[in-house]
Amino acid sequence: MREWRVAMATYQEFIQQNEDRDGVRFSWNLWPSSRLEATRLVVPVSCLFTPLKERPDLPPVQYEPVLCSRANCKAVLNPLCQVDYRAKIWACNFCFQRNPRGPPNPLIFLYVVDTCLEEEDLQALKESLQMSLSLLPPNALVGLITFGRMVQVHELSCEGIAKSYVFRGTKELSSKQIQEMLGLTNPSATGPQGRPAAPQDPAVTCRFLQPVHKVDMNLTDLLGELQRDPWPVPQGKRPLRSTGIALSIAVGLLEGTFPNTGARVMMFMGGPPTQGPGMVVGDELKTPIRSWHDITKDNARHLKKATKYYDALANRAASNGHSIDIYACALDQTGLLEMKCLSNLTGGHIAMGDSFNTSLFKQTFQRVFSKDHNGEFRMAFGGTLEVSTSRELKVSGAIGPCVSLNAKGPCISENEVGVGGTTQWKICSLSPSTTLALYFEVVNQHNAPIPQGGRGAVQFVTQYQHSNTQRRIRVTTVARNWADAQSQIQHIESSFDQEASAVIMARLGVFRAESEEGPDVLRWLDRQLIRLCQKFGQFNKDDPTSFKLSESLSLYPQFMFHLRRSPFLQVFNNSPDECSYYRHHFVCQNLTQSLIMIQPILYSYSFHGPPEPVLLDSGSILPDRILLMDTFFQLVIYHGETIAQWRKAGYQEQPEYENFKHLLVAPVDDAQEILQTRFPMPRYIDTEHGGSQARFLLSKVNPSQTHNNLYSWGQETGAPILTDDVSLQVFMDHLKKLAVSSAA
Amino acid sequence: MEAKDLYIKPGNQERGWNDPPQFSYGLQTAAQGAPKRTPLNKRVPPPQLTGSPCPVPGDVPSLTAPMTPPTNPLAPPCSMNTPPRPCPVAAPPLGGVMMMATPPPPFPVVEHTDSASSQSENEPDVDDVVTLLNWALTACRHTVKKQVCNDVAKRLKLFEDMWKSGKLSLPVRRRMNGLVQELKSCNWDAADEIHRALIVDHVNEVGQWMVGVKRLIAETRNLNPDLLHTQEVDQSLDTSSTGNSD
C-alpha cells in the first residue's frame, strides 16, 4: 500500500511539474501499449494543452526564416514563390500551400455597435468605447460600424465632416458587393497577366480602418455623438435590429482589406436580431424569443436558418484569421444560441450581462485589454497549432475554440473526435488561458512488443502573432513511457490524472450534447463512469459496501456527479442563451477554471481554524460557518444562521469582537482576489441563511426534495440512467452497486 | 500610484442583479501577474470512497455554535439560549486568536465619494496645471499639424472650463496635477499611465477631453527634446500667448 502512495505522490508532482513547464495535462501519464488495452481504460489517451501558458522565463523565438506551414514540407520562402502582397499570402512552390506572409501587420479592432439601446445603456456603452481607445495597442487600426434598422459604416478621417456609408438592414450582400459599395475594390490592383501589383499599404487606402493614434480624437467625438436608432419603436414591438447584415459587412470589410491579419470584430448588442438574415425573433413582443421548450417542440421558427447564417459567417471569419467577440447586455435573451459559433470557431469572447451600465460589463470589457507582468497585452492572434506524434499514436481530433486546417498527414486517426481529420488547427484569437483538448489513439496492435525503453512522444508547434505584432513560435515536446497493461495496470492506474480526465470527458460530453439528445449524453457519461469503476475499483463481486477507489481516482466520480447536474448538460434550468454562454467558456478555459465550472469550489470559514475546503453537500452548511462558493460564473458568500444573526446584531463593530469582524472579512478578501483577475467578471452574491439569493448555493448542494430517490433503466438499450436529482450519497450507492454487479 | 487610487466601488445593483464590485484601474493592474495569496483550489473526496467517517449532516436543529468567539469569555445577548456545543470539525478547536490563511491585504476598501467641493491641503492649482499643458502644446505646434493642435487645444479648454466650474472631482484634479508633473519631467510612460487610469476610473468626467491629453502626451514625447527645453515653463507672461487662439 505504501508503495502506491509513494508512486501517487510522485505522479502528482510529476503532473504538476509537467503542467508548469509544458502547459500540458494528460489523462494518463503512463500509456497502454496497445489499442485494445487503451480502449479498455475507458478514458482515452488525451490531453489538455494551453498553447500560450504564461512562461515568464521563456525567451521568444523569432519567426525566421519564413517556413512553409505544411507539416511535411517546411520549405523556406524563396524567389520562386508567388506572393500576394495585398493579402499577405505566399504560395509554396514545393507543395502549393498558401502561407501567411512574414512582415508584421498592425492589429485591427472593428467595433460593431447596436444603437437600439436605452439612453442610459447607450451612454454607458459609448463611455466604455471611448475609454477603450486609451487601452488599445497604440498602433492598432480601429473601425466603427453602427446598426439598428440600418447599418452604417463610418469613415474615420482625420479632418472634415465625418461620412458614413449606409446599408439596408434587410438586404443580404455578397462580400464582393460590400467591398464594391465601400469603394474598396480597385480594378487596377492586379498588374498584367494577373501578377500581383506593387505592394500597397492598406492602412492608407482603407478609410474605415485607421490607426488609433491618428483618429482617436475624432473617433472619441464620433462616439460621443452617437444617437439611439432614430426609427421609432411602436408599442408592443421590439426595435428593428439588423445584426446579421452588420456582421456580414464587418466580416466582408475585413476580408477585403486585411485577410490573414490579426483582427477582432467586437460586437456590442442590447437585444436580439429582429430583421434581416440572421434574425432570431420577430419584432412582435407578444412572440417571445425561443425557449428550450420551443426548441424541443420544434417550434423555433428562425433557429435553423439563423444558426446556418452565422455559422457561414463564422467560418469565413475563421478562414481569414479574424475573431469575433460578442458583448450581449440585455435582460432577455439576445440570440447567443444562434450566434455562438461566431466566437466558438474564432476564439472570440462572449460576455453576457444585464446592461452596459454595470460593473460586470465594464470590467469584463476592460480586461480584454489586460496586460501581463511585462506590460504586454495578453491577447494573441492568428494562431495555428500543429501536432505530431510518434508512430504508435495518432491524432483523433481537438475540442476547443478552433477550426480545422485540413492538414493531411500520417498521424491522423480515422476515428474522429471533435474537430478531426487533421493535425493542424487554427485559433484566430487566443489568451494565456486558451486550452484545447486533444484526443489520441494508440495504434499498436495487441501483443506487439513495446519498444524497449520506449516512450511515446507528442510535439505541439504553436505559431501566433503576439500583440506587439511580432510572429512567434512555441514548440512543446512531451513524452510518456509505454506500459504493458497486463502486468503494470496498477502503475497505469496511479498515473491517472483525474482532474484532466474529468475536463477531457466533460468536453466530449458537451461536444456530443450540441448534436445529440441530452439523455443520450447522460447515458453515455454514466456508462463510461461505470466501466471505469468496474475496471479500477477494488471490490468483492456483488458486494457494494466493499467498493473502494484508489486515491488517483477518488475524486473522479464526484466530478461526474456534478457534471451531470451542471448547466452544461442540464439545460432546462437555464435559457438557451445562458447555456450557450456557459458552454462557450467551458470549452475555452484552462483546466483549473474548467474544473471549477464542473464542480464548484466550496470553502468554509470559521473560528476553528483556517479556511478549509468542504464537500459540496448540504452537510457543509452549518450555522456558525461562512461558506464561499466559486462556480466560476458566480461567487457566493453564504452566512450561516448564527453568523447572520451576529452580523445583524452588529457584533463586528464592537472592539472586543474584532475576530468576528476578521471572520466576516476573510471570505470577502478571498473573493475579491478572484474578482480582481477573473475573465469574464463573475456575479457576486452576498447572502445568508433564509436569504432569497441563497438558492445559488442550495441548488448546487441540494438535490430536489420532491423527487424519488430511485434510478431507472433506459428504454432502448437497457443501460442504466442515474437520475439527476439524487444526492451524492445516493449516486455513489447506485454507482457502487452497478460497478460490483456481476450481471453488468 | 497612490494608495487613494486603489479602491473598490460596489457594483450597480439597480441595473444588474448581483453586479460585482468595481475595482479601480490601479488595483486591477496591481493584480496582473501577481501570484494568488490563497489559491482556493482544493476539493474533498466523498467519504464513501475513501472509508473515512461521514461528515455530520448539518440539519440538526439543536446544534449550535459557541456563543462567542473564543477570545471573549462573555456570552453576548443573543436569541439562542441553548448551551453552546462545539461543532464537529476536522481541525482541532483553537483557543486564542483565530487563524486565517493570510491577513487581509492593506488596500483601503472604501466607498469612493466624488466631491468636487471637498478641499484638502493638497488642492492643486488649475492654472499651474493648464500652464504646463499649454507649454507642451506650444512645443508641439512647431511640428505637429495645426488641425491636431487645435483639436487638442479645444479639449484642454474644455478641461479647464470643467475644472473652474467645479465639475471635476478631487481625485481627477489631483491626478491631473500628477500627470502634468510627469509631463514636465518627460516621464512619458508615467504620464500615459495616469491618463489611462483616469479614463478608466472616471470616464464620465474626463471622457470628452482626456483624449486630447492622451494625444498631447503622444505628440510631445516624439518631439525633439531641444524643442521642449526652449520653452520656459515658469514665465507667467507665456500664459496669455499660449492661450487658446485661432
Side-chain angles (χ1 to χ4, degrees), chain A residues 111-130:
Chain A
Y111 295 156
V112 180
V113 180
D114 174 11
T115 54
C116 301
L117 303 176
E118 277 179 42
E119 199 59 61
E120 185 187 329
D121 260 48
L122 183 61
Q123 182 59 28
L125 177 57
K126 280 157 55 171
E127 285 174 358
S128 283
L129 296 177
Q130 286 170 326

Side-chain angles (χ1 to χ4, degrees), chain A residues 5-156:
Chain A
R5 278 198 196 278
V6 168
M8 177 58 189
T10 314
Y11 265 115
Q12 272 181 341
E13 280 164 19
F14 174 81
I15 287 169
Q16 193 57 56
Q17 277 165 19
N18 277 282
E19 180 179 20
D20 290 343
R21 187 188 60 219
D22 300 324
V24 182
R25 291 276 294 253
F26 273 97
S27 51
W28 302 97
N29 289 284
L30 200 58
W31 293 341
S33 54
S34 80
R35 170 195 266 139
L36 182 60
E37 290 300 334
T39 54
R40 284 179 181 161
L41 292 186
V42 184
V43 177
V45 172
S46 46
C47 73
L48 294 169
F49 176 53
T50 306
L52 297 195
K53 182 176 168 68
E54 264 164 339
R55 286 286 312 277
D57 52 321
L58 214 52
V61 176
Q62 300 296 331
Y63 192 74
E64 298 277 4
V66 178
L67 299 177
C68 177
S69 59
R70 189 185 290 280
N72 51 5
C73 178
K74 295 280 183 251
V76 182
L77 174 61
N78 65 74
L80 299 174
C81 298
Q82 272 205 326
V83 182
D84 181 343
Y85 291 93
R86 211 179 122 90
K88 301 271 198 294
I89 295 176
W90 61 280
C92 177
N93 57 312
F94 293 102
C95 72
F96 308 112
Q97 170 90 336
R98 282 155 67 82
N99 297 295
R101 180 124 199 265
N105 291 308
L107 301 177
I108 305 170
F109 295 83
L110 178 54
Y111 295 156
V112 180
V113 180
D114 174 11
T115 54
C116 301
L117 303 176
E118 277 179 42
E119 199 59 61
E120 185 187 329
D121 260 48
L122 183 61
Q123 182 59 28
L125 177 57
K126 280 157 55 171
E127 285 174 358
S128 283
L129 296 177
Q130 286 170 326
M131 171 208 71
S132 73
L133 298 181
S134 285
L135 299 179
L136 288 174
N139 298 320
L141 303 187
V142 69
L144 177 65
I145 295 176
T146 53
F147 69 97
R149 184 169 170 260
M150 314 287 250
V151 180
Q152 267 182 290
V153 185
H154 298 262
E155 230 183 56
L156 301 180

Side-chain angles (χ1 to χ4, degrees), chain A residues 121 134 214 367 625 651 669, chain B residues 15 28 77 89 104 195 215:
Chain A
D121 260 48
S134 285
K214 279 207 186 125
R367 286 180 191 175
R625 302 295 160 92
Y651 284 111
D669 287 342
Chain B
R15 293 297 283 182
Q28 290 207 77
V89 289
H195 120 256
R215 185 65 89 89

